[in-house]
Amino acid sequence: MKVKNILLFLLTAAGAPLSSGFGQGADGPADLVDRADSSAALVDSPADLADPLIDTRSPRWDYLKSATLPFGMVALSPDTKHGNLWKAGYRYDDPYILNFSHVHNMQTAGIPVMPVTGPCRGNEGIEANKSRFSHEKEVVKPGYHKLFLEDDQITAELTATCRVGMHRYTFPATGQAHLLFDLGAALGPTEMSYAYARQTGKNEIEGYVVNAPTYRRPKPYVIHFVARFSKPFDAFFGWKNGVFAEPEAGIISGEGSGVYVTYKNLKEDEQILLKVAISYVSPGNARLNLETELPHWNFEQVVAEARKAWNDYLGRIRVEGGTKQQQIKFYTDLMHTAGKRISSDVDGSYADYTGPFPVIRGVPADSSGKPVRPFMEGDGLWGTHWNLNILWSLVYPEYGNWMAETFLDYYRNAGTMARCSWGGNYSYVMVGDHITPLLAALVSTGRNSFDPELAWSAARKNAFPGGIRDRAGYESGPNPSGGGIDWYIDLGYVPMEIAERGKGLHRGGAGMTLEYAYQDWCLAGMGRIIGKETDVALLMKRSENWRNLFDPETGWMRPRDLSGEWTEPFSPVFDKQHPTPDGFIEGNAAIYTFYVPQDMEGLIGASGGKKAFADKLNASFLKAQPYNFFSPDGNHRTGWVNYKNQPSCAMAHLFSYAGEPWKTQYWVREVKERAFGGTDPYSGYNGDEDQGQMGALGVLMAMGIFDIHGCVGEKPALEITSPLFDRTVITFPSVEDPSHMNTFEINVKRKNRDDIYIQKATLNGQRWDRFQFPVSQFFKGGKLEIELGKTPNYKWGIP
Amino acid sequence: MKVKNILLFLLTAAGAPLSSGFGQGADGPADLVDRADSSAALVDSPADLADPLIDTRSPRWDYLKSATLPFGMVALSPDTKHGNLWKAGYRYDDPYILNFSHVHNMQTAGIPVMPVTGPCRGNEGIEANKSRFSHEKEVVKPGYHKLFLEDDQITAELTATCRVGMHRYTFPATGQAHLLFDLGAALGPTEMSYAYARQTGKNEIEGYVVNAPTYRRPKPYVIHFVARFSKPFDAFFGWKNGVFAEPEAGIISGEGSGVYVTYKNLKEDEQILLKVAISYVSPGNARLNLETELPHWNFEQVVAEARKAWNDYLGRIRVEGGTKQQQIKFYTDLMHTAGKRISSDVDGSYADYTGPFPVIRGVPADSSGKPVRPFMEGDGLWGTHWNLNILWSLVYPEYGNWMAETFLDYYRNAGTMARCSWGGNYSYVMVGDHITPLLAALVSTGRNSFDPELAWSAARKNAFPGGIRDRAGYESGPNPSGGGIDWYIDLGYVPMEIAERGKGLHRGGAGMTLEYAYQDWCLAGMGRIIGKETDVALLMKRSENWRNLFDPETGWMRPRDLSGEWTEPFSPVFDKQHPTPDGFIEGNAAIYTFYVPQDMEGLIGASGGKKAFADKLNASFLKAQPYNFFSPDGNHRTGWVNYKNQPSCAMAHLFSYAGEPWKTQYWVREVKERAFGGTDPYSGYNGDEDQGQMGALGVLMAMGIFDIHGCVGEKPALEITSPLFDRTVITFPSVEDPSHMNTFEINVKRKNRDDIYIQKATLNGQRWDRFQFPVSQFFKGGKLEIELGKTPNYKWGIP
């Protein structure tokens, strides 16, 4: 089998521009084997393919998915680095395990556990209790993590339910072993300003930590926990500020404090199991979560159930064909799309931090009292119209609605939709109003389970002064002005002077203008569906504001100042000799010039017609190709195309609109493989997967469907690109009856692996020559069959 | 009937020292009628006798009991004055009703409602919307309040369940009527730092207020509410800082904000009903409280159930005989003993503010999930060993245990028992450790439903440095030293220099010493019962520390300084000519000299024997008699006896221990009638009932039983004094099986009303000559029969 695979790989790799562009780890011998073709059957257990270790060299704090479920509240995993949101958490090349902690969200962290043997040194801090480990003895799968702590000779295994982390520690024979809870330690992006723990039973402790405020989360945040041990411990003790402290009335509390439990005289291979449930509401709810989700001590059962949960999630899309590595990457991508996190308890309670005090609220419940959906926590949705929104609308509508309802909860609770839900509160991450495109997508596709009238009110508010577009990125506090919506309305664009107004980050007037115009169009689309014609006309007019920044002389989007003048000097990409003023958001004119999904016809016209437009775009891709479609130097202002950040993410798909769908077929595949093809710890997402966004983009590119409009509009349609796999079977809840599942299948015929150009297609047996097909056809279910060839069919797909 | 009663009154009043000493209102014509003898039967419906208006001229904020249940979380009543804890709330002589508000606790307040007609002026504040009212159209009973708002011609009626206030407003015909919720207004003792309200239905709003910190409650406190209206309102609107403001997304929030609902075109006599549920936990729990306790709109039913709840509470003690006024005062006293307040929700949740953030916790539940008891809120227990502790131990053990468990909750949650539970947090009101005498009483009487080992740990902690006796009154924050427990242990007393150490109030070293010594003895008593002999010996030794302050030269307790010197100048009461330094707590040497309940024999010995002791005490009473046993000038340092404050409250009972029980019989009755006999709005408690304490003292004096030891000790005994009523039937939960009720009856035979001296007594038919009888006899049930005569029987009761 091994020999055969190697041979297959060699055959495959021979002719391949597609096999280049992988990260450095792709050349190892293990890779040689795996890169071979997969077996000719639909993937049976996708959870076994998804690889949490991909691109873990330098990830975000919240990146690793090991002992966690899809959207799991608990994300239990080993940490090797603290101190930041970026380049923290589990980093593949770090030599030491510092602890196993339960909360890995963008701006929150908590409840670290570390098993040690010998005299307790918990008081000396996390660094003093770290242990070496090696990847040889490590197993990492969605829902399971196992490794060997060499210094203490302890095998650590982790798994989880949604809200409970489960640990199994296998000890050497030892006179004393301790499980340390360093509750005062700084973890990932946050310090702990206060900790509290008390013994609540012979085998239980409970407590909470207060996450100190961060720049991005201006309020403290409380995480409650209940930890239950499989065996009564022999002692419960603690420390404060580095000094051991005896619990008073069983309690240790205050800044810089930690606790530990001690077991004496453990036998060789004796196992201690630990369950840690969390809640953002109360210790009682942490206990409720524990007792509801994990009443037993069967570790293997939890692992199996976690695997099943991941298989259920990933199995909505089953693929056949492609290389093993492509399958691995596909399911790893898909795994990351489940990266937002539930933050409500089993009873639907959640903590609302929008006011001066946390307020415990509850999501709606059904007639039996069961919450109908959770409240969510996660990074902002800036850019998700080109990835998650599409995937949620098509395949995972319940999770898209979870997000939508969470933002509507912010509207219901505090009067304005957030850009993001961190620590139960607004964070204003990035700019504009990212939520309206999601609401509009779900309404446009008939997927919304929320009240569209409420969504309209909430989204409309955000389109005018008094809403979220008053604010720049991270502009919190009263009297915001860094969003420039007033200027946008008055002038038809946000001028360069926005950089000097308000507070916060990301104040690029031209970028804001282009995003606002798309968001206006999304709102208009939603409004049209639910009969808000007056507003629709106004918003459609506003959606043309991109024209105010299109400089006909240079042919690029160009920032303007308050007086209407174009900024000088100007270059579509940052030019060191003539440094152009910034005016965009993690992008530049070269990229944002193509940010007009709502009016491709207008943009193409302004650009001199289809040919000129496609040539200009093609030139950009050619210039970006050597850098795998990232910026040459990591600076987001220097790339002609930059798939590291969201503004680029539709660019490869635009050729189809300019009459050259074969170029979309080519560049989408190039981007997919060069930018996102890596499957080792050093590549895959260029270091920032962006909490499901790059994963979702990869999934869409692999399936060969996309929509530059983000599935918004009266009759949304999907763009067809060249599928990666021979067969892709997509199972999704029916629009009419979400409890019933429909199936849409995408089949490919090709002679060679490198055949990427669409020759012809049929939709449910009927010839299909357009590059788009209606989302409604997708929802009906059926088959899209595509024949791929080595060279373009210049006639297919031309509208 | 009226004529007959007047005649009876005249006959009764003729010979009576007992009929003097009433407040000024006692002379009105209504009083003439009521002062007549009551009918010769046990009181049938005591709730109809209790009069919430007694002594309402200038009460505390939390005093009035109208639309509230015993220990009710909601205390809904009209407010006529805000701005303070004292002399606020409902004041009898104030001409205006400002609002009806739901929370009347010592340091918290919230959710004011005011019905008005005509153009809305809610934005102008509470004063602008007040209305005149008169007592003629007012009805006030436990559980019900009715009055007529003259300015707006609205009849307002209020009633309540435990956690829900119910309003019934009968309007005149009007084009517009509004129900104002001035959520930003300062109420009683607290300002509101933030308010939030949103419309949650066509006839519902929810929200919360944040009570700003006060000196006595150093943290803010949140009160959630849900208000539901019997009829959908026509509009929901609000204001902020005096200016009308349109709700955004149905929400009004921020400092200084309020909301109102509007009804248009109400017909003559149209009624709008309103239910307001509160919770200190969450809006969801407020709604749960509402839907659990009050799912219907039957106002009369709620009034009837409230009356029943009060009858159930008050009916544990049924009396016969005495005057109608005495019965009224008795049940008013008893009503006030239900003055602490439940602060947990129907599901047992409560808010713990001991840490940096409020933490939602829950009381234990039974197997069906029902909370076994509530978490309580209330003033501190300073002095309750001479009133509530006795009543709780004998008759109402469940409520005593509620209090005890609440303080143990503080120990469990935060490591130290509080002195008081205000706003879910420590307040350190008054000095010492008042809780240990309560725990010891419940353990001593076998009444404790709590774990005595836990109680021991908690109480023992408070007896040493690191516990509550580190702190002076209101001394919050870290590193407390104003309690002087270290000096107390080192020196055997707390020296005068304590006034210069630490922070807070009430730093009187001699007073602290005497209280600490009694508390040590209580702790020893509890320790002896549960086998903590080593500590018992130490504590019993410490309980003799009163001797260190007894100055044999003057014969009075006298403050000492660090060097051991007596303070100069000295006078048992404050002397303007030679101002003595203070060294006591709301008392003086004249009073605190008698504060040695744990060692009457020692004190009497030190005082020169029984005769000398009794004469000295009698001299004090004679000096205090002209002032009705209060201080002559309201200063607590000037009275020889001062039943306004707790340190005096056992004084009249001490004669029995000096061999002169007839003097106890005389002075107890004198105090009962002169200090506490008033039944009009201007008398009854000298302006401060002290949240059940003076009521309980009055009840005990009226029943003719007391225990200067506060029911603490190995074999606690009750002191017999002269009962007020012909018959007193006390029904109480059995010690062995609290679900079963026992009865103890106290019957009196006398020829004349003025016969107050015990001639002889029988206990269950057996002659009983001692002035004490065991609490265990009381618990067994039975009858104490007492014959009273005009002159003392100098032989009865001598031990």
Side-chain angles (χ1 to χ4, degrees), chain A residues 258 261 269 273 318 327 345 409 507 636 726 769:
Chain A
V261 304
D269 290 334
L273 280 77
R318 294 175 69 199
Q327 290 188 353
D345 293 325
D409 283 335
R507 283 171 295 171
H636 49 62
D726 298 339
D769 285 342

Side-chain angles (χ1 to χ4, degrees), chain A residues 338-555:
Chain A
K340 311 295 180 196
R341 301 213 162 275
I342 288 168
S343 72
S344 53
D345 293 325
V346 290
D347 67 352
S349 302
Y350 65 95
D352 166 14
Y353 278 69
T354 54
F357 263 72
V359 173
I360 307 309
R361 301 191 185 276
V363 299
D366 64 18
S367 57
S368 71
K370 207 183 144 204
V372 296
R373 47 93 188 170
F375 184 82
M376 302 298 291
E377 163 113 5
D379 194 9
L381 299 189
W382 186 68
T384 57
H385 50 286
W386 286 331
N387 44 68
L388 284 168
N389 293 9
I390 303 170
L391 194 68
W392 282 333
S393 298
L394 297 181
V395 189
Y396 297 101
E398 59 271 59
Y399 308 118
N401 277 295
W402 288 1
M403 294 305 297
E405 287 281 19
T406 295
F407 290 106
L408 290 172
D409 283 335
Y410 278 90
Y411 180 68
R412 281 181 280 249
N413 295 340
T416 307
M417 284 196 293
R419 286 191 187 128
C420 152
S421 176
W422 285 351
N425 196 13
Y426 296 104
S427 91
Y428 310 115
V429 56
M430 303 308 292
V431 301
D433 170 23
H434 341 307
I435 313 307
T436 289
L438 172 61
L439 300 179
L442 293 169
V443 170
S444 296
T445 55
R447 284 303 207 179
N448 60 300
S449 57
F450 51 80
D451 172 9
E453 288 287 342
L454 181 78
W456 168 260
S457 302
R460 190 189 181 285
K461 179 175 180 185
N462 275 356
F464 292 92
I468 203 94
R469 295 198 224 166
D470 284 340
R471 294 179 187 271
Y474 301 113
E475 184 175 15
S476 58
N479 306 317
S481 65
I485 184 65
D486 50 342
W487 275 338
Y488 175 80
I489 291 172
D490 290 349
L491 306 172
Y493 62 93
V494 182
M496 280 299 283
E497 284 82 350
I498 196 68
E500 310 301 324
R501 204 176 79 167
K503 297 180 299 179
L505 305 174
H506 304 302
R507 283 171 295 171
M512 285 168 158
T513 302
L514 289 156
E515 296 189 23
Y516 290 4
Y518 168 65
Q519 290 158 9
D520 286 342
W521 179 82
C522 288
L523 183 57
M526 180 159 62
R528 190 171 287 134
I529 292 167
I530 59 175
K532 308 287 179 186
E533 287 308 330
T534 313
D535 282 320
V536 166
L538 169 72
L539 291 162
M540 285 304 290
K541 182 81 196 140
R542 277 172 40 171
S543 78
E544 291 174 27
N545 279 344
W546 64 269
R547 292 184 186 273
N548 298 328
L549 295 187
F550 189 87
D551 174 14
E553 197 172 316
T554 62

Side-chain angles (χ1 to χ4, degrees), chain A residues 254-275:
Chain A
E255 198 177 354
S257 60
V259 296
Y260 62 96
V261 304
T262 298
Y263 291 97
K264 293 181 185 160
N265 301 318
L266 291 181
K267 293 189 291 284
E268 177 80 22
D269 290 334
E270 186 162 350
Q271 292 188 327
I272 302 292
L273 280 77
L274 167 63
K275 299 187 284 198

Side-chain angles (χ1 to χ4, degrees), chain B residues 385 393 436-448 518-530 536 540 597-598 707-717 772 774-776 779:
Chain B
H385 50 285
S393 298
T436 289
L438 171 62
L439 300 179
L442 293 170
V443 169
S444 296
T445 55
R447 283 304 206 180
N448 60 298
Y518 167 65
Q519 289 157 9
D520 286 342
W521 178 82
C522 287
L523 183 57
M526 180 160 62
R528 189 172 288 134
I529 291 166
I530 59 174
V536 167
M540 285 303 290
Q598 72 274 25
D707 177 12
I708 65 162
H709 307 90
C711 281
V712 173
E714 276 184 291
K715 291 182 177 172
Q772 288 170 297
V775 165
S776 58
F779 286 150

